[in-house]
């Protein structure tokens, strides 16, 4: 350090770095005296770790639960891929499904439908949304906006405790008579109305999950609008906060129609109404006794009115995470930050008027199709603006290829592929050929799997030191990244070829019995299944890396040399609190914001980066320890 | 500077819990309830849209005034409007610092809600005796679903009001402004529930 700053402690002047060391020691001692009790609160164990109202702990609860569900959803898919790769072959691993779902190790067709429906449901509603919004949003938004907690801490706790039982109900439905839901994650009637009891459980589970995300979204919006720190105007938000803000509005306004639809379908199944049941249905040679007169298309409208904004719920937080990592990894401000923000808001609005592009083949009429294909083409523009801005942000940066940066960089082309392959699906004419084929599966998995999930992985590697005070192992992180990256493309890229050849989705044998699909299925399906198993293997280093470091951190072992700001970031979650943060209460003194979110390498400033809450640029700091000069300067100002 | 240098793990109060934030002009719970009501608009909006779609697609659709008890529903409409007035009176009394009168008006609101529910129970009982069930036809299906969901909202409101009348009123001694705010917030919810009925009444009973 060129110049050692001094600060006054009590009546004494001390070197800032020495004061900092003393401060850390004092904190450690105070914590020990309290017997591990943080924040001077003598909360019982159950209030601290089970029914906690602290947004950071709730975020961690959400994160763990969601990661477990992601793994479960992935394992269901592995079983399906075994059947698709080698149809009719016996695998002893299938025996975990129980007697009713396999015979002699061969997956039964009904069970394949169950796995398919639950893979989608678990991945979307129990995995990615809770991870993206519940975990990342909960943990980071209050810290990034300089708030002491969420606006409604109790509501936050209730939100998690609606999500968890919703998940358990979904899991329990596997043991319902006739098995779990098997009508796809879209649950189209009339099939879903006449399906076995598991579908009722699915609907009840959905009501819980919808309630959870409703409470969460109200909480997020109020927190962001009301609790942002002094000086933090909207255009000084980190992009991640904007992404979460728009996402919350989507959750708030798009989920209730699905709740209405779930209530109506529940009535159809339990009270015998005919909201979605047309007259004159004959099932298994028997005429149904429903009153009839219902409309199956009504369900599709209500469902997709939720489920298209839901796509942006899946992708926007991912874009937010990637933007944070890219700004940090390139050591530059985001290129086109303003246009990205406005594009995000526009995207949010438009996502409410594109839903029927999922329904071109329902015969709803060409006029409506024309309207929805126009809005669909329009909504691709803001996505392109955001993605282009992220790409252009790389230009001229001195990129630090850390593990989070690798995942963020991979997100860009992967989401690009996912987005561009969506265009032919948004045009009614080309959709006639591609609808309900593997092309669709490839398209949205590129968006969600190597897109969103990679962003989530990047976020986990990036913010792990914040939550635990430990860094995940970089080397194993790279192993995790490269194998995952290769394998995940091996799974999803051939799906485009399959889809163009006309192979339908939801086929039990992956097309082996169909003349037009037989050849390409035989050429690609075994390879894709091997890649899926490779992807599973690639997660092993991650799981060990994650659990090992999480357990070590829980036992109180921190990386001593890490400092509070290991990535030398500018946003407030790093700069103004210790790592891991205080257990209750985020900031010793609520911070004041003086500048934009990404002041890296500002021309004319000596410092390489200037955190948002600093009134003046600090002395150039040694790598890895930035809290120190910031504290010093802030104190001197006072 | 000394205060800032102290390194306690002080838990900071959530800002703007009671007083409005100057630049937004609302306190947290008020913004929260408006957002919640926005989602409720989407919920009931979806159900009303479903009703429109089903009715326009149906070959025949019963006339509400021939199937249902219009005078009783008119009386219920009146009762709910009265309850909307009493809840505002409760809030204004609390603003004036008069807990006793505030509680009387809260009790009046609860009474109105209970009268509404009793009337509704009579209506349901009458329909069941006439063998009109949700599965009878789509008119009764949507009638029972919409009024049932609305009834659940009324019951939810009654539970919240009872809480604020009983154990929740302890807050008055500690923080009267916050207690008054809570009545304002639940009042907003209550107006919304009334408003839903104002839509339900003509759509189901008169058309």
């Amino acid at each position: 350090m060129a110049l050692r700053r001094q600060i006054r402690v009590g009546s004494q002047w001390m070197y800032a770095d020495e004061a900092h060391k003393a401060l850390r020691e004092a904190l450690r001692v105070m914590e020990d005296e309290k017997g591990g009790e943080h924040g001077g609160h003598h909360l019982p164990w159950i209030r601290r770790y089970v029914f906690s109202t602290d947004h950071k702990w709730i975020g961690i609860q959400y994160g763990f639960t969601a990661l477990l569900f992601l793994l479960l959803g992935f394992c269901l898919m592995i079983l399906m891929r075994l059947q698709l790769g080698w149809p009719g072959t016996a695998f002893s691993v299938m025996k975990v499904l129980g007697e009713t779902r396999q015979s002699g190790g061969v997956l039964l067709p009904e069970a394949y439908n169950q796995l398919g429906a639950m893979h989608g449901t678990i991945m979307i509603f129990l995995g990615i949304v809770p991870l993206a919004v519940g975990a990342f949003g909960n943990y980071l938004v209050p810290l990034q906006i300089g708030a002491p907690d969420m606006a409604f801490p109790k509501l936050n706790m209730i939100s998690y405790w609606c999500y968890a039982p919703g998940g358990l109900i979904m899991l329990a439905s596997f043991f319902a008579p006739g098995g779990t839901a098997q009508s796809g994650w879209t649950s189209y009637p009339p099939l879903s109305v006449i399906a076995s009891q598991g579908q009722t459980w699915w609907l009840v589970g959905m009501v819980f999950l919808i309630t959870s995300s409703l409470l969460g979204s109200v909480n997020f919006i109020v927190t962001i609008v009301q609790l942002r720190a002094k000086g933090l105007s909207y255009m000084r938000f980190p992009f991640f906060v904007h992404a979460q803000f728009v996402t919350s509005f989507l959750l708030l306004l798009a989920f209730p129609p699905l709740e209405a639809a779930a209530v109506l379908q529940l009535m159809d199944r339990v009270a015998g109404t005919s909201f979605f049941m047309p007259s004159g249905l004959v099932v298994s040679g028997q005429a149904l006794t429903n009153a009839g007169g219902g409309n199956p298309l009504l369900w599709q409208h209500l469902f997709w009115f939720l489920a298209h904004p839901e796509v942006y719920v899946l992708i926007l937080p991912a874009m937010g995470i990637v933007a944070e990592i890219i700004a940090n990894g390139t050591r530059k401000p985001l290129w086109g930050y303003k246009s990205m923000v406005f594009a995000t808001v526009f995207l949010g609005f438009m996502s409410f008027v594109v839903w029927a592009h999922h329904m071109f083949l329902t015969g709803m009429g060409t006029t409506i199709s024309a309207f929805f294909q126009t809005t669909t083409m329009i909504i691709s523009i803001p996505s392109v603006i955001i993605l282009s801005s992220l790409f252009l942000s790389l230009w001229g940066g001195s990129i630090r290829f850390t593990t989070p940066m690798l995942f963020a960089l991979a997100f860009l082309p992967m989401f690009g592929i996912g987005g561009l392959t969506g265009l032919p699906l948004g045009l009614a004419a080309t959709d006639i050929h591609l609808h309900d084929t593997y092309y669709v599966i490839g398209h949205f998995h590129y968006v969600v799997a190597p897109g969103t999930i990679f962003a989530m992985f990047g976020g986990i590697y990036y913010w792990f030191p914040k939550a635990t005070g430990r860094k995940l192992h970089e080397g194993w992180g790279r192993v995790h990244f490269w194998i995952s990256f290769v394998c995940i493309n091996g799974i999803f890229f051939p799906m485009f070829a399959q889809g163009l050849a006309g192979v339908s989705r939801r086929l039990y044998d992956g097309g082996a019995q169909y003349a037009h699909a037989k050849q390409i299925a035989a050429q690609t399906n075994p390879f894709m299944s091997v890649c899926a198993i490779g992807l599973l293997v690639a997660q092993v280093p991650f799981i060990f890396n994650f659990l090992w470091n999480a357990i070590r951190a829980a036992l109180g072992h921190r990386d001593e040399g890490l400092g509070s700001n290991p990535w030398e970031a500018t946003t407030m979650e790093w700069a103004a609190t210790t790592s891991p943060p205080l257990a209750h209460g985020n900031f010793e003194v609520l911070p004041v914001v003086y500048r934009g979110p990404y002041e890296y390498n500002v021309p004319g400033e000596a410092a390489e980066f200037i955190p948002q809450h600093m009134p003046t640029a600090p002395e150039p700091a040694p790598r890895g320890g930035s809290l120190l000069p910031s504290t010093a300067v802030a104190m001197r100002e006072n | 500077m000394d205060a800032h240098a102290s390194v306690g793990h002080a838990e900071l109060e959530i800002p703007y819990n009671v007083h409005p934030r100057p630049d937004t002009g609302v306190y947290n719970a008020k913004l929260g309830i408006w957002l919640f009501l926005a989602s409720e608009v989407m919920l009931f909006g979806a159900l009303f849209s479903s009703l429109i779609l089903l009715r326009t697609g149906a070959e025949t659709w019963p006339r509400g005034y021939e199937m249902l008890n219009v005078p009783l529903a008119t009386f219920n409409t009146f009762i709910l409007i009265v309850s909307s007035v009493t809840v505002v009176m409760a809030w204004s009394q609390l603003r004036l610092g008069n807990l006793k009168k505030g509680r009387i008006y809260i009790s009046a609101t609860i009474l109105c809600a209970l009268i509404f529910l009793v009337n509704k129970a009579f209506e349901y009982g009458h329909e069941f005796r006439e063998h009109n069930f949700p599965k009878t036809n789509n008119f009764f299906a949507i009638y029972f679903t919409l009024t049932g969901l609305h009834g659940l909202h009324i019951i939810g409101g009654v539970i919240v009001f009872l809480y604020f009348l009983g154990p929740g009123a302890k807050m008055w001694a500690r923080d009267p402004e916050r207690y008054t705010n809570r009545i304002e917030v639940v009042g907003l919810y209550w107006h919304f529930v009334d408003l839903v009925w104002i839509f339900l009444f003509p759509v189901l009973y008169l058309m």
Side-chain angles (χ1 to χ4, degrees), chain A residues 8 41 214 226 228 272 295, chain B residues 1 11 21 24 26 28 53:
Chain A
R8 207 174 66 187
H41 289 264
L214 172 68
Q226 293 282 93
R228 68 210 144 84
N295 190 340
Chain B
M1 104 121 231
E11 185 177 7
R21 182 179 162 121
T24 60
V26 287
N28 294 347
L53 203 127

Side-chain angles (χ1 to χ4, degrees), chain B residues 10-172:
Chain B
E11 185 177 7
L12 292 161
E13 279 286 304
I14 305 287
Y16 313 114
N17 237 351
V18 181
H19 301 289
R21 182 179 162 121
D23 59 349
T24 60
V26 287
Y27 55 88
N28 294 347
K30 201 167 178 175
L31 180 60
I33 198 73
W34 279 114
L35 291 167
F36 174 73
L37 294 182
S39 86
E40 291 276 80
V41 168
M42 295 304 288
L43 175 69
F44 281 100
L47 289 169
F48 275 109
S49 313
S50 303
L51 165 61
I52 293 167
L53 203 127
L54 288 171
R55 182 166 178 166
T56 50
E59 283 169 23
T60 59
W61 191 265
R63 297 283 164 188
Y65 50 80
E66 287 167 5
M67 313 299 292
L68 302 168
N69 190 336
V70 178
L72 196 58
T74 313
F75 177 65
N76 257 349
T77 311
F78 175 70
I79 285 288
L80 276 191
I81 292 172
V82 169
S83 79
S84 256
V85 175
T86 57
V87 80
V88 174
M89 295 301 280
W91 176 64
S92 78
Q93 286 301 329
L94 292 172
R95 285 283 294 231
L96 294 170
N98 195 336
L99 177 65
K100 206 174 156 198
K101 278 195 180 167
R103 276 180 142 170
I104 292 171
Y105 281 117
I106 295 175
S107 311
T109 312
I110 296 173
L111 188 70
C112 287
L114 291 177
I115 294 173
F116 176 90
L117 287 174
V118 169
N119 281 338
K120 206 80 216 135
F122 276 124
E123 270 192 83
Y124 274 23
H126 177 75
E127 296 307 334
F128 292 151
R129 274 193 305 282
E130 302 263 306
H131 296 285
N132 290 328
F133 297 103
K135 64 181 174 188
T136 307
N137 57 39
N138 270 340
F139 171 76
F140 279 105
I142 197 86
Y143 164 76
F144 280 110
T145 309
L146 272 170
T147 56
L149 206 61
H150 177 257
L152 284 178
H153 278 76
I154 298 266
I155 292 170
V158 168
I159 291 169
V160 175
F161 278 126
L162 281 174
Y163 173 77
F164 286 139
L165 193 63
K170 280 184 205 146
M171 183 183 267
W172 177 263

